[in-house]
Amino acid sequence: MDLAVGSTNPVKRRATERALTKAGVEATVAAVAVDSGVPEQPRGAAETARGARTRARNALAGHDLGVGIEGGVDDETPIEGLALVMYAAVTDGDRTELAAGPALRLPARIADRVRDGAELGPVMDETLDTSGLKKRAGAAGALTGGATDRTEALSTAVAGALGPFVTERY
């Protein structure tokens, strides 16, 4: 199987590879730069999911499956406060499957800045005095004390969206 992930972020590629490995699926995974069709910082579940679907469709060209992964923030989850949310979409061109990863409450000092229009990645880097956190452990890793990380969290979303394509249970 030949897949393309609609992003050149190495975390998104590793998340896809991890989901495939856990599912026992042998595949090659290409990382391709595509437009998400949503702002750099998606807001709300609908916009974040739309970004994942758009990335998957835009990544598909010449591959068996296109994978789109998008992280965003959402004030309208059952979690009190602003939450980090993540979605993954997988498409074969005929159908598109969508799944979500974990959602995590953002600390107030970070949430306030993101609500004011800042992008989460740079706010996390500034707050933690790091650089490129979203290409490593991500907010998920920092906010869980390393109990999970961005790759694992996104891998969960990819696994859910990939399931209907790699099992006969659907």
Side-chain angles (χ1 to χ4, degrees):
M1 186 180 300
D2 178 44
L3 287 86
V5 179
S7 175
T8 57
N9 185 321
V11 169
K12 293 181 179 184
R13 181 181 184 149
R14 284 193 305 270
T16 301
E17 291 169 340
R18 185 174 292 177
L20 289 162
T21 298
K22 286 184 174 185
V25 176
E26 289 188 31
T28 58
V29 179
V32 296
V34 299
D35 183 38
S36 69
V38 298
E40 193 68 29
Q41 180 60 76
R43 296 176 187 279
E47 187 171 79
T48 307
R50 186 170 64 249
R53 285 186 184 105
T54 301
R55 284 181 184 277
R57 279 193 307 273
N58 289 343
L60 179 61
H63 302 277
D64 298 320
L65 295 174
V67 178
I69 302 170
E70 196 70 49
V73 295
D74 192 353
D75 260 319
E76 297 183 18
T77 71
I79 296 169
E80 188 174 321
L82 187 65
L84 165 64
V85 296
M86 47 203 89
Y87 289 89
V90 176
T91 188
D92 62 5
D94 292 324
R95 68 179 171 158
T96 301
E97 298 287 343
L98 181 73
L104 308 165
R105 183 179 65 81
L106 296 173
R109 69 185 181 283
I110 293 169
D112 290 345
R113 292 186 55 203
V114 173
R115 280 190 189 102
D116 287 342
E119 183 186 344
L120 179 60
V123 170
M124 291 296 297
D125 279 338
E126 185 177 312
T127 301
L128 300 175
D129 195 26
T130 61
S131 177
L133 185 67
K134 71 181 187 177
K135 292 187 177 183
R136 296 187 322 275
L143 297 174
T144 64
T148 192
D149 64 16
R150 189 170 191 221
T151 301
E152 187 63 31
L154 293 175
S155 176
T156 300
V158 173
L162 187 63
F165 294 98
V166 300
T167 71
E168 296 180 13
R169 292 179 173 88
Y170 287 84

